[in-house]
Amino acid sequence: MPLTPEQQAEIDDLRASPRPTLRAVSEGMEAHLYTAYPVLDHGFVRVIDYMGDDAAITQAARVSYGKGTKAVSNDEGLIRYLMRHWHSTPFEMCEVKLHVKLPVFVARQWIRHRTANVNEYSARYSILDREFYIPRAEDLAAQSTVNNQGRGEALTGAEAERVLEYLKGDAARCYDHYEEMIGQEGQQGLARELARMNLPANIYTQWYWKVDLHNLFHFLRLRADAHAQYEIRVYAEEMCRLVKDWVPYAYAAFEDYRMGGATLSSKAIDCVRRMLKGEQVTQETSGMSKGEWREFMGVVEG
Amino acid sequence: MPLTPEQQAEIDDLRASPRPTLRAVSEGMEAHLYTAYPVLDHGFVRVIDYMGDDAAITQAARVSYGKGTKAVSNDEGLIRYLMRHWHSTPFEMCEVKLHVKLPVFVARQWIRHRTANVNEYSARYSILDREFYIPRAEDLAAQSTVNNQGRGEALTGAEAERVLEYLKGDAARCYDHYEEMIGQEGQQGLARELARMNLPANIYTQWYWKVDLHNLFHFLRLRADAHAQYEIRVYAEEMCRLVKDWVPYAYAAFEDYRMGGATLSSKAIDCVRRMLKGEQVTQETSGMSKGEWREFMGVVEG
Amino acid sequence: MPLTPEQQAEIDDLRASPRPTLRAVSEGMEAHLYTAYPVLDHGFVRVIDYMGDDAAITQAARVSYGKGTKAVSNDEGLIRYLMRHWHSTPFEMCEVKLHVKLPVFVARQWIRHRTANVNEYSARYSILDREFYIPRAEDLAAQSTVNNQGRGEALTGAEAERVLEYLKGDAARCYDHYEEMIGQEGQQGLARELARMNLPANIYTQWYWKVDLHNLFHFLRLRADAHAQYEIRVYAEEMCRLVKDWVPYAYAAFEDYRMGGATLSSKAIDCVRRMLKGEQVTQETSGMSKGEWREFMGVVEG
Amino acid sequence: MPLTPEQQAEIDDLRASPRPTLRAVSEGMEAHLYTAYPVLDHGFVRVIDYMGDDAAITQAARVSYGKGTKAVSNDEGLIRYLMRHWHSTPFEMCEVKLHVKLPVFVARQWIRHRTANVNEYSARYSILDREFYIPRAEDLAAQSTVNNQGRGEALTGAEAERVLEYLKGDAARCYDHYEEMIGQEGQQGLARELARMNLPANIYTQWYWKVDLHNLFHFLRLRADAHAQYEIRVYAEEMCRLVKDWVPYAYAAFEDYRMGGATLSSKAIDCVRRMLKGEQVTQETSGMSKGEWREFMGVVEG
């Protein structure tokens, strides 16, 4: 469990003290506030604050489109319309602030999403805790043989054991030396900003991450996708669960149009039309490369 | 007064219905929520939502700097430290959403601040109201004779009268024609997206504008400054009043270090040092251009 | 023609003086540099500078993906792969700087694309020219009767004549008064920053606009689309022509996957699969709304 | 030396083949193109491409400010004026693309500057090289005793030896295990995206980094500053040298107004004024905290 009793007591305190507000309130999100949901072996995601709800999206859209939006009479229909036609600004009107604890190699992927606000725990000022991500046996995936980026089956037997031994042993030894270098009785100690360089990328860090709903959806589309690395995907999936309770209409539209959707090229559209007219289209007659065709088959055949 | 009775009733309703929340609450900002504060002749600023308070800034900083921030024991001192040393990310942890009604020529300046979220009333979909900014007599400033950008004294007499007559007359005529073009009984009417091109830049538009506190401070530093155009400055000043009640410590630090502060060049610092040692420094011996020297005198002599 | 003889001479000069460089050179783009391509009645687009070419995209991708990219052997295939899988960062490695002259109401749409650098001609400092966009008769579209946002057929006869008369007359009168207000012999003149408020939205402005290729493609996808307003679409189309000569592989991939592509929702994908199995799917059995079904039919039937 | 003979030959080739261009050319930057300038023990910075020069900055400013800028007759004076008055957009009109090789813990600081384009070598796809940053003896700084963030004197003797032994030994062992885990003859091998988690933060990575001049100056102001961590400062200093040759006027203005400048708070300005009138101001009578006063003395006394 990633929290100390003191931290848990602090969360319980925060959750015990509701205060009145005139702002938009999402009951679904209030139920999650501050609670740390575990991810991986030592990580977590927890919501620190949020702004807006489903109605805030349509309210902003109605400012923009005025009488133009009246044709779509209800919030759910309007949100689906906005999502389908790539209107991004109404979704930017909602904001969420998360506290995330995650391994450094996951943080390095995550931070590539630039349109967000971040305050990360600083290893220049402070000392990192002795906590490392060690995969479960079933997550020790082999390199894929068909895909440079992907994973194959889990390693087994002696190879799996050896990997776990390396990961645990190296993390422990590197951390022991990190501690020794930053100082002991009667010694000056190496500057923290230097000592941290000895720590491997599976050490945990933490940050506050604040993002608007449009950019969060973009993050989730890429990171909750089946092709994302497992260790970031589990964070994205946990966040999907939170977003679903926060803005249920927006999340449902996101699921239908983005997560479950697919983009067809003009060549692919042409093939669909020919196929619907009864033509037998093959990769050779499609005008697509083998890779494109394989992906296209994945869409139309499932 | 820029609001209809229906709009005022809606605001009163929203203000009458507090709901419990577990989020951070700023009492100062709750007092302002939804209320439309008048700006110029038909404009307003009102707060629709906010996230965070002074404590949210230091909370994020303490995640970042961990034990490193303990030396500064209280929130106010830490916020001053962060502002003084240009730490921007903790201030990004607060967010505010405003509803603003403003003339188009002001909106065109405002939108140049790119790091914000905007939903503007669309004149492609909807019909703009017949509301134009007409300056008060005392705001009919002449072109400055010393500064290409600035304003001189207010126009008076016949010249002032003529200007007001032009502004009012042209606005009225252009709007009449706009209305006629978009359609009358038995006619198709010109597309709204085309008809709007006939409207002058003092017509009012409105938008939802959402921004984090760091970027809001940047906006306010430039737009509440004495050199900003009067018509945007009055919006910035109204927003300063709101921010002061929202995050009082952060606003006080902003006032001291940004609004009331000044940046000296290395040449200017050198001059200050020489002057403090008793040397009589002149523009000629300062190494500065006349313009720089004049601005420098403004800082050291007040 | 939007250029003065002096401006044309300056362009000719710039085009007559090649200099050696060690940077990547795009022959296709060199042929366009500085030339002002007319758009609308007084507008233009011209390329001032560019960085990178098709090879710069794949070069950056090969830094990122290292040996992983070798499977795709050539630049064209790799660029198609990157576009298909939504890899945005390699396309960000190309940059272009344009000089654009455009009506203010077009500029107001354009500037909503925030990820770009802009220097616009300032009507606070300087005096705008007497140039207004007056649509051609065939572009005087009526409001669409089926779509709040769209255009119908062109107006004709007396109604068209009246519209043109209004647009021309109001622009001329507003500009006359603008000139008078900013000053005549023996008068102070109203500050320029105020006088400009009398100018209608079809007056021309100009700016330097600098953007990376990824964000430019995003702009073009939205603004060269059939649903974009005609007056911004003609700029986008002119820019498409320039981009095609600059980075031909990237542009071809953009055309296939973005401009000519379509995104299907999970419901739509399900319908395609059922239809390919021979099922007669109707709107009622599709699970889609009428609007969604109509758009879906547009994709699969063309 | 960080380059292989093949890489050096490639650079020599690129530098041997000038081509004609009609774009703005900076002779100072042409002299640096492609050359890898060493930083730290295995790192480098090299310029891959650039857009614009000093004249491009003033050209953009003259579009914006039109006749308003004529008062400042020459490029150098105008650039100083723009820098002094915080005009950022003209500086955004220049762009540079760098290829940087740097330790991961430096990359983690660097990436916090969000307004840039990045393509980093991917350890999901590819195998990292066995190259680690090992500080020189004189750079093995102790933790500062006065500042949580800073460094003190270099460690010496047995403590220094032990630190170097740990850094070298742990890096070597972690890399050995990384290699073993990703596979040997007859084994599947752990997925690269997992194996990389065993590598410490002093391993080298590399990326293409593209940024505009305004944001580059912001980066350099923070990272070439005396308070920046030494290991990133040496990159910033190398980049300063390149920028100075690229846009000499802009760099000189940056040095005077930003790097060598200082911001005074309103309290500090008040103190300067009192001191210039002959008053003996002390920390107690200044209204400043001890920390502020110490920093203020650093500015006025040097």
Side-chain angles (χ1 to χ4, degrees):
Chain A
M1 177 56 191
L3 296 181
T4 64
E6 290 74 23
Q7 289 168 328
Q8 190 54 56
E10 197 188 317
I11 290 172
D12 294 343
D13 262 9
L14 284 164
R15 287 204 52 80
S17 317
R19 295 174 64 185
T21 187
L22 296 170
R23 293 171 289 173
V25 171
S26 162
E27 296 300 346
M29 201 61 149
E30 291 285 333
H32 291 303
L33 269 170
Y34 307 120
T35 303
Y37 294 104
V39 185
L40 299 179
D41 50 357
H42 298 290
F44 61 72
V45 173
R46 64 192 197 107
V47 180
I48 297 300
D49 208 342
Y50 69 91
M51 174 191 278
D53 55 6
D54 273 329
I57 298 165
T58 55
Q59 184 188 25
R62 290 197 162 95
V63 168
S64 303
Y65 311 121
K67 296 159 195 157
T69 52
K70 289 207 173 150
V72 183
S73 52
N74 60 25
D75 278 4
E76 187 177 4
L78 179 52
I79 283 174
R80 287 183 62 84
Y81 175 92
L82 295 169
M83 182 72 77
R84 191 161 77 248
H85 292 98
W86 303 90
H87 290 256
S88 55
T89 57
F91 297 101
E92 295 175 11
M93 289 288 135
C94 293
E95 188 94 12
V96 67
K97 192 196 299 179
L98 302 172
H99 181 190
V100 188
K101 189 171 161 192
L102 69 179
V104 162
F105 72 94
V106 174
R108 295 243 293 140
Q109 282 195 343
W110 194 308
I111 200 78
R112 298 304 317 282
H113 295 263
R114 288 161 291 183
T115 312
N117 310 116
V118 188
N119 279 274
E120 184 178 355
Y121 186 85
S122 169
R124 284 190 79 192
Y125 295 74
S126 306
I127 299 171
L128 287 165
D129 289 331
R130 183 194 284 270
E131 287 182 314
F132 295 87
Y133 169 59
I134 305 294
R136 296 175 303 178
E138 62 264 40
D139 297 327
L140 280 181
Q143 183 71 15
S144 167
T145 51
V146 294
N147 183 335
N148 267 309
Q149 184 178 353
R151 291 187 183 188
E153 297 295 300
L155 301 182
T156 52
E159 188 172 3
E161 271 173 45
R162 192 184 48 138
V163 163
L164 286 175
E165 191 183 296
Y166 283 163
L167 290 175
K168 288 177 189 169
D170 289 349
R173 190 182 304 100
C174 285
Y175 194 86
D176 286 344
H177 293 165
Y178 168 69
E179 269 192 320
E180 276 188 59
M181 289 191 285
I182 57 181
Q184 310 189 91
E185 291 291 326
Q187 288 184 315
Q188 282 200 281
L190 186 66
R192 290 164 189 175
E193 65 182 27
L194 283 171
R196 63 171 162 168
M197 78 168 77
N198 203 53
L199 295 168
N202 57 344
I203 195 164
Y204 275 87
T205 182
Q206 50 182 297
W207 60 34
Y208 272 39
W209 190 67
K210 178 171 149 285
V211 70
D212 67 61
L213 183 58
H214 168 68
N215 281 287
L216 178 57
F217 277 148
H218 186 70
F219 177 93
L220 295 176
R221 179 161 67 111
L222 295 175
R223 303 305 181 182
D225 185 88
H227 294 90
Q229 181 164 355
Y230 168 78
E231 281 77 16
I232 196 165
R233 199 169 70 234
V234 286
Y235 284 90
E237 286 167 353
E238 192 62 37
M239 288 151 72
C240 282
R241 207 174 58 81
L242 297 166
V243 175
K244 187 176 186 173
D245 288 344
W246 173 29
V247 282
Y249 291 154
Y251 187 78
F254 167 72
E255 261 198 324
D256 189 18
Y257 293 116
R258 297 285 182 279
M259 286 307 291
T263 298
L264 299 185
S265 69
S266 62
K267 281 178 190 163
I269 293 170
D270 182 57
C271 287
V272 168
R273 291 176 185 172
R274 288 158 59 195
M275 290 158 83
L276 286 174
K277 284 179 187 149
E279 184 180 336
Q280 287 291 345
V281 184
T282 63
Q283 186 249 316
E284 287 74 20
T285 63
S286 70
M288 299 187 211
S289 71
K290 284 182 183 168
E292 285 175 82
W293 179 257
R294 189 171 56 234
E295 293 167 26
F296 172 66
M297 283 293 106
V299 174
V300 297
E301 299 193 334
Chain B
M1 177 56 194
L3 296 182
T4 64
E6 290 73 23
Q7 288 168 327
Q8 190 56 55
E10 197 186 319
I11 290 172
D12 295 342
D13 263 10
L14 284 164
R15 288 204 51 79
S17 316
R19 294 175 64 183
T21 187
L22 295 169
R23 293 171 288 172
V25 171
S26 162
E27 297 299 347
M29 202 61 150
E30 291 284 334
H32 291 302
L33 270 169
Y34 306 120
T35 304
Y37 294 105
V39 185
L40 298 179
D41 51 357
H42 298 291
F44 61 70
V45 173
R46 62 191 198 108
V47 181
I48 297 300
D49 208 342
Y50 70 90
M51 174 192 278
D53 55 6
D54 273 329
I57 298 165
T58 55
Q59 185 188 24
R62 289 195 162 95
V63 167
S64 302
Y65 311 122
K67 296 158 195 158
T69 52
K70 289 209 173 149
V72 184
S73 52
N74 61 27
D75 277 3
E76 186 178 4
L78 178 52
I79 284 175
R80 287 184 63 81
Y81 175 91
L82 296 168
M83 183 72 76
R84 191 160 77 248
H85 291 97
W86 304 92
H87 291 257
S88 55
T89 55
F91 297 100
E92 294 175 11
M93 288 289 136
C94 293
E95 189 94 10
V96 67
K97 193 197 297 180
L98 303 171
H99 181 191
V100 188
K101 189 171 160 193
L102 71 177
V104 162
F105 71 95
V106 174
R108 294 243 293 139
Q109 281 195 342
W110 193 309
I111 201 78
R112 298 304 317 282
H113 296 263
R114 287 161 290 185
T115 314
N117 310 115
V118 188
N119 279 274
E120 184 178 354
Y121 186 85
S122 169
R124 286 189 78 191
Y125 294 74
S126 306
I127 299 170
L128 287 165
D129 290 329
R130 183 194 285 270
E131 287 182 315
F132 295 88
Y133 168 58
I134 305 295
R136 296 175 305 179
E138 64 263 39
D139 296 328
L140 279 180
Q143 182 72 16
S144 166
T145 52
V146 294
N147 184 332
N148 268 309
Q149 184 177 352
R151 290 185 182 190
E153 297 294 300
L155 301 182
T156 55
E159 189 173 1
E161 272 173 44
R162 192 183 46 139
V163 163
L164 286 176
E165 193 182 293
Y166 283 164
L167 291 174
K168 288 177 191 169
D170 289 350
R173 189 182 304 101
C174 286
Y175 194 87
D176 287 346
H177 293 164
Y178 168 70
E179 268 193 320
E180 276 189 59
M181 289 191 288
I182 57 182
Q184 308 190 91
E185 291 291 327
Q187 288 184 314
Q188 282 201 280
L190 187 66
R192 289 164 190 175
E193 66 181 27
L194 283 172
R196 62 173 164 168
M197 79 168 76
N198 204 51
L199 295 167
N202 57 343
I203 196 164
Y204 276 86
T205 183
Q206 52 181 295
W207 60 34
Y208 272 39
W209 190 68
K210 177 169 149 289
V211 69
D212 68 61
L213 183 59
H214 169 67
N215 281 288
L216 179 55
F217 278 148
H218 186 70
F219 177 92
L220 295 176
R221 179 159 69 111
L222 294 175
R223 302 306 178 181
D225 185 87
H227 295 91
Q229 180 164 355
Y230 168 78
E231 282 76 18
I232 197 167
R233 199 169 69 233
V234 287
Y235 284 90
E237 287 168 353
E238 192 62 36
M239 288 152 72
C240 282
R241 206 173 60 81
L242 297 166
V243 175
K244 187 176 186 173
D245 288 344
W246 173 28
V247 280
Y249 290 154
Y251 186 78
F254 168 70
E255 260 197 324
D256 189 19
Y257 293 115
R258 297 286 181 279
M259 287 305 292
T263 299
L264 299 185
S265 69
S266 62
K267 281 178 188 163
I269 292 171
D270 181 57
C271 287
V272 168
R273 291 176 185 173
R274 287 157 61 195
M275 290 158 83
L276 286 173
K277 284 177 185 151
E279 184 180 334
Q280 286 293 343
V281 183
T282 64
Q283 186 250 314
E284 286 74 18
T285 63
S286 70
M288 298 187 210
S289 73
K290 283 182 184 168
E292 286 177 80
W293 179 256
R294 191 172 54 238
E295 293 167 24
F296 174 63
M297 284 292 106
V299 173
V300 296
E301 298 193 334
Chain C
M1 175 58 193
L3 296 181
T4 63
E6 290 74 22
Q7 290 168 327
Q8 190 54 56
E10 197 186 318
I11 291 171
D12 294 344
D13 263 10
L14 284 164
R15 289 204 49 81
S17 315
R19 296 174 63 184
T21 187
L22 295 170
R23 292 172 289 173
V25 171
S26 162
E27 297 299 347
M29 201 61 149
E30 292 284 334
H32 292 303
L33 270 170
Y34 306 119
T35 303
Y37 294 104
V39 184
L40 299 179
D41 50 356
H42 298 290
F44 61 70
V45 172
R46 63 192 197 107
V47 181
I48 297 299
D49 208 342
Y50 70 90
M51 175 192 277
D53 55 6
D54 272 329
I57 299 165
T58 54
Q59 184 188 26
R62 291 196 161 95
V63 167
S64 303
Y65 311 121
K67 295 159 195 158
T69 52
K70 289 207 175 152
V72 184
S73 52
N74 60 25
D75 278 2
E76 186 178 4
L78 178 52
I79 284 176
R80 286 184 63 84
Y81 175 91
L82 295 169
M83 182 74 76
R84 191 161 78 247
H85 292 98
W86 303 91
H87 291 256
S88 54
T89 55
F91 297 100
E92 295 175 12
M93 288 289 136
C94 293
E95 188 93 12
V96 67
K97 192 196 299 180
L98 303 172
H99 181 190
V100 187
K101 190 171 160 192
L102 70 178
V104 161
F105 72 95
V106 174
R108 295 242 293 139
Q109 282 196 341
W110 194 307
I111 200 78
R112 297 305 316 284
H113 296 262
R114 288 162 292 184
T115 312
N117 311 115
V118 188
N119 279 273
E120 183 177 354
Y121 186 85
S122 169
R124 286 190 78 191
Y125 296 74
S126 306
I127 299 170
L128 287 165
D129 289 331
R130 184 194 283 270
E131 286 182 316
F132 295 87
Y133 169 58
I134 305 294
R136 296 175 304 180
E138 63 264 40
D139 297 327
L140 281 179
Q143 183 71 17
S144 166
T145 53
V146 294
N147 183 333
N148 268 307
Q149 184 177 352
R151 291 187 182 190
E153 297 294 300
L155 302 182
T156 53
E159 188 174 1
E161 273 172 43
R162 191 182 48 135
V163 163
L164 285 175
E165 194 183 294
Y166 283 163
L167 291 175
K168 288 176 189 168
D170 289 349
R173 191 183 304 101
C174 286
Y175 194 87
D176 287 346
H177 293 165
Y178 168 69
E179 269 193 319
E180 277 188 58
M181 289 191 287
I182 58 181
Q184 308 190 93
E185 290 291 328
Q187 288 184 314
Q188 283 200 279
L190 186 66
R192 289 165 190 174
E193 66 182 26
L194 283 172
R196 62 171 163 169
M197 79 169 76
N198 203 53
L199 294 168
N202 57 342
I203 196 164
Y204 276 87
T205 184
Q206 51 182 295
W207 61 33
Y208 272 40
W209 190 67
K210 177 169 150 287
V211 69
D212 67 60
L213 183 59
H214 168 67
N215 281 287
L216 178 56
F217 277 148
H218 186 70
F219 177 94
L220 296 176
R221 179 161 67 111
L222 294 175
R223 303 305 179 180
D225 184 87
H227 294 92
Q229 181 165 356
Y230 168 78
E231 281 78 18
I232 197 166
R233 198 170 69 233
V234 286
Y235 284 90
E237 287 167 354
E238 192 62 37
M239 287 152 72
C240 282
R241 207 174 57 83
L242 296 166
V243 175
K244 187 176 185 172
D245 288 344
W246 173 28
V247 280
Y249 290 153
Y251 187 78
F254 167 71
E255 261 198 322
D256 189 18
Y257 293 115
R258 298 285 182 278
M259 287 306 291
T263 298
L264 299 185
S265 70
S266 61
K267 281 179 189 162
I269 292 171
D270 181 58
C271 287
V272 168
R273 291 176 185 172
R274 286 157 61 195
M275 290 158 82
L276 286 174
K277 285 179 186 149
E279 184 179 335
Q280 287 292 343
V281 184
T282 64
Q283 187 250 315
E284 287 73 18
T285 62
S286 71
M288 299 188 210
S289 72
K290 283 182 185 169
E292 285 176 81
W293 179 256
R294 191 172 52 237
E295 293 166 27
F296 173 64
M297 283 293 105
V299 174
V300 297
E301 298 193 334
Chain D
M1 177 56 194
L3 297 182
T4 63
E6 289 73 23
Q7 289 168 326
Q8 190 54 56
E10 196 186 319
I11 290 173
D12 294 343
D13 262 10
L14 284 164
R15 288 204 51 79
S17 316
R19 295 175 62 185
T21 187
L22 295 169
R23 292 172 289 172
V25 171
S26 162
E27 297 300 346
M29 202 61 150
E30 291 285 334
H32 292 303
L33 271 169
Y34 306 119
T35 303
Y37 294 105
V39 185
L40 298 179
D41 51 357
H42 298 290
F44 60 71
V45 173
R46 62 193 198 108
V47 181
I48 297 300
D49 208 341
Y50 69 91
M51 174 192 278
D53 55 6
D54 273 328
I57 299 165
T58 55
Q59 184 187 27
R62 290 195 161 96
V63 168
S64 302
Y65 310 121
K67 295 159 196 159
T69 52
K70 289 208 173 152
V72 184
S73 50
N74 59 27
D75 277 4
E76 185 179 5
L78 179 51
I79 284 175
R80 287 183 62 83
Y81 174 91
L82 295 168
M83 182 71 77
R84 192 160 78 248
H85 292 98
W86 302 91
H87 290 256
S88 56
T89 55
F91 296 101
E92 294 175 11
M93 288 289 136
C94 292
E95 188 94 11
V96 67
K97 192 196 298 180
L98 302 171
H99 180 191
V100 188
K101 189 172 163 192
L102 71 178
V104 162
F105 71 96
V106 174
R108 293 242 296 139
Q109 281 195 342
W110 193 309
I111 201 78
R112 298 303 317 281
H113 295 262
R114 288 161 291 185
T115 314
N117 311 114
V118 188
N119 279 275
E120 183 176 354
Y121 186 86
S122 170
R124 283 190 79 191
Y125 295 74
S126 305
I127 299 170
L128 288 164
D129 289 331
R130 183 193 284 269
E131 286 182 314
F132 294 87
Y133 168 59
I134 305 296
R136 297 174 303 180
E138 63 264 40
D139 297 327
L140 279 181
Q143 182 72 14
S144 167
T145 52
V146 294
N147 184 333
N148 267 309
Q149 184 177 353
R151 291 187 181 188
E153 298 293 301
L155 301 181
T156 53
E159 189 174 2
E161 272 174 45
R162 192 184 47 136
V163 163
L164 285 176
E165 193 183 293
Y166 283 163
L167 292 175
K168 288 177 189 168
D170 289 349
R173 189 182 306 99
C174 287
Y175 194 87
D176 286 346
H177 294 163
Y178 168 70
E179 269 193 318
E180 277 188 59
M181 289 191 287
I182 56 181
Q184 309 188 95
E185 291 290 327
Q187 288 185 314
Q188 281 200 280
L190 187 66
R192 289 165 190 175
E193 66 182 26
L194 283 172
R196 61 172 164 170
M197 79 169 77
N198 203 52
L199 295 167
N202 57 342
I203 195 164
Y204 276 87
T205 183
Q206 51 183 295
W207 61 33
Y208 272 40
W209 191 66
K210 177 169 150 289
V211 69
D212 68 60
L213 183 58
H214 168 68
N215 281 288
L216 178 56
F217 277 148
H218 185 71
F219 177 93
L220 295 176
R221 180 161 69 109
L222 294 175
R223 302 306 179 181
D225 184 87
H227 295 90
Q229 181 165 354
Y230 168 77
E231 281 77 16
I232 196 167
R233 199 168 69 235
V234 287
Y235 284 90
E237 287 168 352
E238 192 63 36
M239 287 152 73
C240 281
R241 206 173 61 80
L242 296 166
V243 175
K244 187 176 186 173
D245 288 344
W246 174 27
V247 282
Y249 290 153
Y251 186 78
F254 167 71
E255 262 198 323
D256 190 18
Y257 293 116
R258 297 284 181 278
M259 287 306 291
T263 298
L264 299 185
S265 69
S266 62
K267 281 178 188 163
I269 293 171
D270 181 58
C271 287
V272 168
R273 289 176 186 173
R274 287 156 63 195
M275 290 158 82
L276 287 172
K277 285 177 186 151
E279 186 181 332
Q280 287 291 344
V281 183
T282 64
Q283 186 249 316
E284 287 74 18
T285 64
S286 70
M288 298 187 210
S289 71
K290 283 181 185 170
E292 285 177 82
W293 179 257
R294 190 171 55 236
E295 292 168 27
F296 173 64
M297 284 293 106
V299 173
V300 296
E301 298 192 335

